[in-house]
Amino acid sequence: MSSETSPQSPVPSSPGGEPRKPRVAVVFGGRSSEHGISVVTAGAVMRAIDRTKYDVLPIGITSDGRWALTTDDPERMAITDRTLPDVAQLAESAAGGVVLPLDPGNREVVYAEPGSVPKALGEVDVVFPVLHGPYGEDGTLQGLLELSGTPYVGSGVLASAVGQDKEYMKRVFTSFGLRVGPYVVIRPREWAEDRDMARKKIVEFAGEHGWPLFVKPARAGSSIGITKVESFEGLDEAIEEAQRHDPKILVEALLRGREIECGVLEFEDGPRASLPAEIPPVSDHDFYDFEAKYIDSASGIVPAPLTDEQTADVQRLAVEAFEAAACEGLVRADFFLTDDGQFVINEINTMPGFTPISMYPRMWQESGVGYAELVDRLLQAALRRSTGLR
């Protein structure tokens, strides 16, 4: 695959008419629980962007929602001593803010300090949003960029929202004939108004599918807020932990089998699937949780030890999931290969992690698309694609 050359988008011009490099705004951080992982991802992406082809404008969103101009120093955006980085540590000012234009005819980004005259930072040609979770990966930022007419990497408003909300993701997949595991949803009003009835709903689900159950936020990622519950006694504590991240709760039955992941990347002729990976059982962890993914550097097996037929099946299903949710750009699709030999889709991530140990770039590396080429393909696809209805 790497022998193909990414077609170049039209070269932007400076006010004097001379060709200039496209300017990429890498937007990261955000208000979700995945703030730190987003910063780590942004650092990896910024290291990979070819500075001979692109100018880079790093914009961090603090945990309280301020858009900050940050230092262009990817080395400061890594996990250090098991501690995640934070936008507030990288911001050039404790109070200054970046303002994106909302006029589709104007892509001039402005930076303002309190009591100072705002200054123009120049035009932005494409945004690479590497935010994970709510207020970034869920369609909210994508809607803002659609309003401003600014091209961006990844899925649009609908696909981003579907990819974030695990309940509606499963409903979409089911409607397209993809197999999903058993689950039940506890909505905020149910838990607030009648906890006994909500508990009964979960206990009845456990009676049908057995313990343990997985209690998780319906709209979060990176395995944050997930608890494996062995019995009724641990239920309330698990719900409280999940609700620290999302008032809507998803409860899933345990699926016995192998965890298989597959990357999807949009090429010029449509989406293609990577070689799949397998996430083996992780020692010292009950499941592939946040610590295992990002702190303890759990390693997946790439390519997954599957038969040729199984590999073809999961690649086909990954592309079907990409199409079912109307995704664009990229997706990581996560499956279980159950003991009866069937693939069950667990979820998709419309902006999967790009950290040095993340599975999405590792799968594409094994498939012939290196990290730098992967980033370039995503940027070029975004520059080619128009905003608005498409």
Side-chain angles (χ1 to χ4, degrees), residues 56-98:
V56 175
L57 178 65
I59 300 174
I61 302 177
T62 63
S63 297
D64 59 4
R66 179 172 64 92
W67 289 53
L69 187 63
T70 68
T71 178
D72 186 358
D73 186 358
E75 301 309 314
R76 293 180 57 195
M77 303 166 74
I79 298 173
T80 305
D81 297 327
R82 301 175 71 87
T83 301
L84 291 165
D86 189 279
V87 167
Q89 302 165 350
L90 304 167
E92 294 194 352
S93 164
V98 175

Side-chain angles (χ1 to χ4, degrees), residues 132-192:
H132 303 305
Y135 312 110
E137 190 183 353
D138 59 351
T140 51
L141 177 62
Q142 290 74 16
L144 173 65
L145 296 173
E146 291 286 350
L147 286 173
S148 70
T150 305
Y152 55 93
V153 169
S155 290
V157 175
L158 174 64
S160 297
V162 168
Q164 188 65 41
D165 191 312
K166 294 178 177 63
E167 176 194 358
Y168 288 98
M169 180 196 307
K170 291 176 186 292
R171 290 179 182 274
V172 167
F173 289 156
T174 300
S175 73
F176 277 82
L178 293 165
R179 186 181 176 192
V180 303
Y183 69 96
V184 65
V185 177
I186 302 298
R187 302 184 185 283
R189 184 178 296 174
E190 291 180 87
W191 187 249

Side-chain angles (χ1 to χ4, degrees), residues 32-343:
S32 82
S33 303
E34 297 170 82
H35 177 100
I37 290 302
S38 173
V39 178
V40 176
T41 297
V45 168
M46 286 164 59
R47 274 192 294 270
I49 293 176
D50 184 350
R51 302 305 179 98
T52 68
K53 293 176 62 175
Y54 304 97
D55 285 327
V56 175
L57 178 65
I59 300 174
I61 302 177
T62 63
S63 297
D64 59 4
R66 179 172 64 92
W67 289 53
L69 187 63
T70 68
T71 178
D72 186 358
D73 186 358
E75 301 309 314
R76 293 180 57 195
M77 303 166 74
I79 298 173
T80 305
D81 297 327
R82 301 175 71 87
T83 301
L84 291 165
D86 189 279
V87 167
Q89 302 165 350
L90 304 167
E92 294 194 352
S93 164
V98 175
V99 180
L100 292 182
L102 290 179
D103 178 0
N106 172 28
R107 293 184 186 169
E108 190 85 25
V109 175
V110 172
Y111 177 73
E113 290 270 9
S116 300
V117 177
K119 65 178 180 179
L121 298 178
E123 292 187 351
V124 165
D125 300 294
V126 61
V127 171
F128 201 134
V130 290
L131 295 106
H132 303 305
Y135 312 110
E137 190 183 353
D138 59 351
T140 51
L141 177 62
Q142 290 74 16
L144 173 65
L145 296 173
E146 291 286 350
L147 286 173
S148 70
T150 305
Y152 55 93
V153 169
S155 290
V157 175
L158 174 64
S160 297
V162 168
Q164 188 65 41
D165 191 312
K166 294 178 177 63
E167 176 194 358
Y168 288 98
M169 180 196 307
K170 291 176 186 292
R171 290 179 182 274
V172 167
F173 289 156
T174 300
S175 73
F176 277 82
L178 293 165
R179 186 181 176 192
V180 303
Y183 69 96
V184 65
V185 177
I186 302 298
R187 302 184 185 283
R189 184 178 296 174
E190 291 180 87
W191 187 249
E193 295 182 356
D194 194 339
R195 293 192 176 189
D196 287 339
M197 185 61 67
R199 292 187 190 101
K200 183 179 182 224
K201 183 176 176 180
I202 297 172
V203 169
E204 289 176 351
F205 178 77
E208 182 177 357
H209 300 286
W211 300 90
L213 301 174
F214 287 90
V215 178
K216 59 178 64 176
R219 294 162 292 193
S222 296
S223 298
I224 287 176
I226 300 178
T227 305
K228 183 180 180 181
V229 181
E230 301 286 351
S231 66
F232 178 79
E233 282 68 31
L235 193 56
D236 278 22
E237 185 179 352
I239 290 173
E240 289 172 8
E241 170 60 21
Q243 285 192 325
R244 291 200 310 111
H245 308 279
D246 186 350
K248 184 165 79 165
I249 304 303
L250 195 74
V251 180
E252 294 179 335
L254 172 68
L255 291 177
R256 301 190 184 278
R258 300 160 62 187
E259 291 190 50
I260 307 294
E261 298 183 349
C262 192
V264 180
L265 177 64
E266 190 171 5
F267 284 75
E268 295 74 43
D269 59 353
R272 302 184 203 171
S274 70
L275 290 171
E278 179 168 4
I279 307 301
V282 184
S283 61
D284 301 325
H285 296 271
D286 276 346
F287 59 98
Y288 194 43
D289 62 6
F290 177 86
E291 290 268 324
K293 279 184 179 180
Y294 297 110
I295 305 300
D296 293 336
S297 303
S299 297
I301 303 168
V302 189
L306 301 171
T307 66
D308 290 346
E309 181 180 4
Q310 288 172 328
T311 295
D313 280 348
V314 75
Q315 288 176 321
R316 172 181 56 80
L317 290 169
V319 172
E320 286 184 10
F322 182 96
E323 300 279 31
C327 295
E328 295 170 291
L330 72 163
V331 148
R332 193 193 73 231
D334 301 345
F335 296 86
F336 289 101
L337 177 55
T338 59
D339 292 343
D340 63 358
Q342 299 295 311
F343 281 105

